[in-house]
Amino acid sequence: MLGRIVASGCFLFCLAVAAQKPVAKAAPVVRHAWDDATLSPDERAGLVLAEMTLDEKLAMIHGMKPEDAPGVKFDPSGSVEGVGFLPGVARLGVPSINMTDSAVGVRQPEDESRYTTLLPSSFALAASWDPDAAMRYGQVVGRELHELGLNMSIGGGVNLMREPRGGRTFEYAGEDPLLAGTLVGTLEAGVHSEHVMNDIKHFALNDQESGRRQVNVVLGERAMRESDLLAFEIALEIAKPSAVMCSYNLLNTDYACENSYLLKTVLRDEFHFQGFVVSDWSATHSTVKAAMAGLDVEMSGGKFLGKPFAEAMKSGEISPEQLDSMVRRVLRSLFASGAVDDPPVREIIDPFRGREIAQKIAEESMVLLRNEGATLPLSQGVHRVAVIGGHADVGVLSGGGSAQVAAPGGNAVLKDGKPAAGPTFFPSSPLREIQSHAAGASVTFDDGMSLSAATKAAKDAEVAIVFVTQPMREARDAATLSLPDKQDELVEAVASANPHTIVVIESGGPVTMPWKNKVATIVEAWYPGIGGAQALGDLLFGTVNFSAKLPGTFPASEAQLPHPVIAGSDMVPQPKGQPAVIFNANYSAEGARAGYKWFQSEKKEPLFPFGFGMSYTTFAYSDLTVNAEKLAVSFTVKNTGSREGTDIAELYVALPVAVGESFRRLAGWQRVDLKPGEAKLVTIAVDKRMVSIFDTATHSWQMPSGAFEWSAGGNSENLPLHVSMVK
Ligand code: BGC
């Protein structure tokens, strides 16, 4: 080091700089006892709390805009206009909390988030089955929040896909608790690694958007612990989140944000969650009941935990200790996240760094669902390609609602020369990428609005690539799983004109495909983010191999679902001023059998099963062995094709017959990179909960005795290896 400094001719200056930095880091100026970073977050929180006034504490348990709180002694200059703000205490060096939505990238007003990265949707990330990708995803979100001066992320949706028409499916991570919990937990650990407070939401059973503020979910304890709550449990263990957001819905007759079973029994007593519970926006319904049930912070205002809380304290209904415990949890999270020791400093975001990561994740997340006659990969020598529909000339689709990231330059789809209203397309043009891969070809674009024009374009080409889109957004479920706007007819028309039809789907989750057997190739690209077209181009032309697999079952029709009609989808809004009518979504019949577990036990054949996805190469599986003592399962995966590829090798377990489950549970997986002919031994350490049932009498996981059937292979319905283990 010294040698290099001398050689560069800046000896004295550089030495001084080199000497300064470590000193500054090792010994920050200690103004308060809690500045001492060697103390635990709990100790530091306790020290601050002892110095806070009642008003300062009361201001910390509900959101506010600085202008909402004249006379309150906090530092309003701390607000950088995220979607939520909790005032800090400037005199004690406690920073304000500035939070914003960041499910699939940082959401800020357009002038702020012009350079933030739109990542592939969370559902797409889940299709990678790759915790490393989830970590990188979370780091992009955390870093960009930090660079925008924000210190808290509100993302981390881990609700299970019980309802594939769900408007927020794209913000969640599929239908399996182990897969969803692992990926969302790791993503949020990535956010945390950037010293940004993180959260997990929407707790819990907020699995549909229809009537989301008035739906009462009915489900038994064992079923929820083995499904939705297990996803939360796993995510919480990995992410150690600063906050958990309670949801809009009711669960077994209590609103989630005042549900003491959820917030106390499960979250605090059994999951040992140490952060704070924050309500979804206007999801708080009471003061005393909510606080006593375990709600710590009301967002986005103080309708219940503002003035009414102070009054309840005066009347003795709420004790000072109760307030202290709520504030302590907020303070603890501030210290535990690193947000106090490494406060955000506004910087310019590097859009290219984020984009490169987004593209890599997109490459790992697009699923090859069908490829007859090896239509893909396309040859670079292809002569005539017709690209049709889906605004593929200008961009790729993104999901709407609070997860919506602003597109650079506004919607890439224009109307009258201006960014169009409606679903937002990001400027990542599939047409341009296809053109650049097939440099010598004639590549045409037809917008797909006229069936006859699209048919003609397809007829004139060697290959037709038709893009179809399913826009989805928060607060609205899709009425059906069918593609909207007669796009099924478009695909049928193109397929009848060209035998080499490739369909690229940009959807939030599953869609139906009445034309499945009439087209050569199907690629599910999801909402692929700002590097989506580049990733797609590389996959279509085989520069990169497909590796992703479905994180959720694609049903053949709505009739196969536990609820062919979504509960509450026929509700008409109450006249203004009338209370909303509560209705039930009764999930008791399917219980823990979300997704593939329902399809297996009801013997329904889906369009594409959970865990399915193809590659340009092929894989074979052998030698399944189980170490019952260690709960470790091994098998060999071999690349039997002629191309390098990555397999997601999947392991499932069926519990002893006496348990009464007629499905296999995902027990683990591994992504394996293999050269042609190469074989690798995969060993999966199985979490005991995957082979246990939740015993509601003892509130604990119990492994039943009997014969466990282990199966391994390439997807939930194609498992060539089986072995029995008696316990
Ligand atoms: C959503 C939350 C979001 C919040 C703030 C709510 O409508 O359900 O997920 O974090 O708005 O934008």
Side-chain angles (χ1 to χ4, degrees):
M1 162 90 172
L2 193 60
R4 255 191 291 137
I5 292 170
V6 175
S8 69
C10 64
F11 182 61
L12 283 177
F13 171 72
C14 295
L15 209 61
V17 171
Q20 262 168 22
K21 272 205 164 165
V23 174
K25 263 201 173 161
V29 184
V30 175
R31 289 179 301 144
H32 307 288
W34 50 88
D35 290 338
D36 180 356
T38 63
L39 297 176
S40 72
D42 287 308
E43 289 169 320
R44 297 173 80 181
L47 287 167
V48 179
L49 191 66
E51 299 294 325
M52 284 174 74
T53 65
L54 180 63
D55 280 349
E56 286 164 348
K57 290 177 189 171
L58 286 169
M60 203 174 263
I61 60 166
H62 60 90
M64 61 174 76
K65 294 262 180 231
E67 61 273 21
D68 291 344
V72 174
K73 298 266 180 291
F74 67 93
D75 174 19
S77 63
S79 171
V80 292
E81 302 204 14
V83 300
F85 176 70
L86 280 182
V89 189
R91 70 176 184 94
L92 301 177
V94 177
S96 300
I97 299 179
N98 287 288
M99 54 184 95
T100 207
D101 285 302
S102 32
V104 297
V106 178
R107 169 195 174 215
Q108 277 291 74
E110 218 154 309
D111 56 337
E112 285 274 331
S113 71
R114 182 170 297 155
Y115 300 118
T116 62
T117 302
L118 175 73
L119 289 140
S121 65
S122 322
F123 202 81
L125 171 70
S128 75
W129 299 50
D130 184 359
D132 291 342
M135 176 58 73
R136 281 180 270 128
Y137 193 116
Q139 284 167 340
V140 170
V141 170
R143 193 175 61 235
E144 294 187 357
L145 283 163
H146 207 260
E147 287 169 349
L148 285 171
L150 294 139
N151 56 7
M152 179 164 176
S153 155
I154 36 176
V158 72
N159 298 83
L160 287 193
M161 185 179 74
R162 282 179 176 269
E163 177 43 74
R165 290 158 292 190
R168 302 188 90 167
T169 300
F170 76 94
E171 286 185 60
Y172 299 146
E175 66 194 21
D176 181 78
L178 180 62
L179 180 63
T182 304
L183 289 196
V184 174
T186 311
L187 188 166
E188 288 303 321
V191 171
H192 194 176
S193 72
E194 298 291 325
H195 298 161
V196 167
M197 300 170 86
N198 55 355
D199 101 314
I200 299 283
K201 69 187 185 184
H202 305 89
F203 194 64
L205 273 300
N206 181 179
D207 297 345
Q208 65 175 58
E209 294 300 286
S210 302
R212 64 175 176 163
R213 290 171 186 270
Q214 63 207 84
V215 54
N216 175 46
V217 172
V218 180
L219 189 60
E221 184 175 22
R222 179 178 158 196
M224 65 176 115
R225 289 301 305 261
E226 292 178 10
S227 58
D228 295 61
L229 296 188
L230 179 55
F232 276 96
E233 185 173 9
I234 294 168
L236 282 154
E237 285 163 1
I238 300 172
K240 302 196 176 32
S242 312
V244 165
M245 184 189 286
C246 51
S247 52
Y248 285 123
N249 57 292
L250 302 89
L251 173 65
N252 297 331
T253 70
D254 266 339
Y255 281 106
C257 291
E258 56 185 39
N259 190 312
S260 77
Y261 170 74
L262 275 180
L263 305 185
K264 255 213 179 100
T265 311
V266 175
L267 200 53
R268 300 238 188 269
D269 299 346
E270 297 183 16
F271 292 177
H272 308 294
F273 170 60
Q274 292 181 293
F276 62 95
V277 174
V278 57
S279 76
D280 200 341
W281 269 231
S282 309
T284 308
H285 293 270
S286 59
T287 302
V288 179
K289 182 176 179 188
M292 300 320 281
L295 177 68
D296 300 308
V297 171
E298 177 187 2
M299 290 308 283
S300 58
K303 184 169 174 199
F304 295 99
L305 299 197
K307 234 181 187 177
F309 190 97
E311 278 157 15
M313 280 188 76
K314 269 194 207 134
S315 68
E317 283 176 285
I318 293 178
S319 67
E321 291 72 33
Q322 174 66 28
L323 173 63
D324 279 3
S325 79
M326 294 158 76
V327 174
R328 184 182 285 113
R329 283 193 273 268
V330 177
L331 293 169
R332 184 195 186 279
S333 289
L334 267 165
F335 286 114
S337 63
V340 176
D341 301 322
D342 179 17
V345 179
R346 284 175 77 92
E347 289 171 48
I348 305 284
I349 289 176
D350 175 355
F352 299 106
R353 189 167 168 203
R355 183 195 179 106
E356 206 176 302
I357 296 170
Q359 180 180 335
K360 281 268 165 287
I361 298 173
E363 286 167 6
E364 283 190 26
S365 75
M366 294 185 189
V367 190
L368 181 60
L369 291 174
R370 177 178 167 89
N371 195 22
E372 292 299 294
T375 305
L376 290 185
L378 290 170
S379 153
Q380 299 197 340
V382 65
H383 298 294
R384 291 181 321 280
V385 183
V387 177
I388 298 166
H391 300 290
D393 51 338
V394 291
V396 292
L397 184 58
S398 62
S402 60
Q404 180 75 67
V405 175
N411 198 347
V413 173
L414 303 180
K415 187 157 188 251
D416 303 327
K418 296 206 183 87
T424 303
F425 285 73
F426 271 62
S428 173
S429 156
L431 177 68
R432 204 175 47 225
E433 292 307 316
I434 292 164
Q435 272 163 342
S436 81
H437 278 277
S442 138
V443 183
T444 59
F445 179 72
D446 177 272
D447 66 11
M449 300 312 262
S450 138
L451 287 188
S452 60
T455 312
K456 178 164 185 337
K459 228 180 218 140
D460 291 347
E462 245 172 289
V463 179
I465 310 180
V466 54
F467 284 76
V468 290
T469 57
Q470 179 215 34
M472 297 288 272
R473 56 164 301 126
E474 177 183 337
R476 194 184 315 143
D477 293 328
T480 75
L481 290 171
S482 305
L483 289 166
D485 303 328
K486 300 194 174 158
Q487 292 178 97
D488 284 335
E489 284 177 30
L490 174 66
V491 176
E492 300 262 2
V494 171
S496 66
N498 192 317
H500 306 293
T501 292
I502 297 162
V503 183
V504 177
I505 307 168
E506 292 169 27
S507 66
V511 291
T512 46
M513 305 176 202
W515 34 259
K516 174 185 157 192
N517 295 325
K518 298 183 188 156
V519 302
T521 297
I522 306 170
V523 174
E524 175 56 81
W526 316 114
Y527 302 151
I530 189 63
Q534 291 76 0
L536 182 68
D538 285 346
L539 288 162
L540 292 179
F541 285 85
T543 326
V544 173
N545 199 346
F546 283 93
S547 61
K549 296 197 174 171
L550 295 179
T553 308
F554 273 45
S557 71
E558 288 85 6
Q560 292 186 326
L561 296 172
H563 302 274
V565 176
I566 306 174
S569 54
D570 53 354
M571 297 278 294
V572 282
Q574 284 286 90
K576 235 183 162 188
Q578 298 285 314
V581 176
I582 308 293
F583 66 93
N584 286 346
N586 193 333
Y587 298 155
S588 307
E590 63 273 31
R593 296 177 298 159
Y596 64 93
K597 295 170 183 167
W598 166 261
F599 278 78
Q600 278 177 10
S601 53
E602 296 291 317
K603 301 199 172 16
K604 292 178 192 285
E605 195 184 330
L607 187 66
F608 294 107
F610 175 77
F612 177 79
M614 297 164 72
S615 158
Y616 291 142
T617 188
T618 47
F619 302 99
Y621 308 88
S622 61
D623 306 325
L624 178 63
T625 59
V626 180
N627 180 329
E629 273 321 297
K630 292 192 176 145
L631 261 188
V633 182
S634 302
F635 55 101
T636 299
V637 190
K638 184 172 184 191
N639 182 342
T640 49
S642 54
R643 277 196 59 140
E644 198 168 340
T646 300
D647 185 37
I648 298 168
E650 301 172 33
L651 175 69
Y652 292 84
V653 62
L655 267 49
V657 177
V659 172
E661 285 184 357
S662 36
F663 56 82
R664 290 178 290 269
R665 302 168 169 198
L666 178 69
W669 71 92
Q670 216 170 88
R671 283 179 65 92
V672 203
D673 301 328
L674 293 166
K675 298 204 166 52
E678 192 183 7
K680 280 185 188 160
L681 182 73
V682 165
T683 298
I684 293 170
V686 177
D687 184 318
K688 193 172 160 225
R689 288 169 293 199
M690 300 309 130
V691 289
S692 302
I693 57 166
F694 186 79
D695 178 30
T696 51
T698 58
H699 273 230
S700 63
W701 291 94
Q702 298 293 333
M703 191 166 166
S705 47
F708 291 77
E709 301 297 330
W710 296 90
S711 309
N715 72 65
S716 64
E717 291 301 323
N718 185 4
L719 300 165
L721 306 181
H722 302 279
V723 90
S724 188
M725 171 191 100
V726 179
K727 186 83 175 155

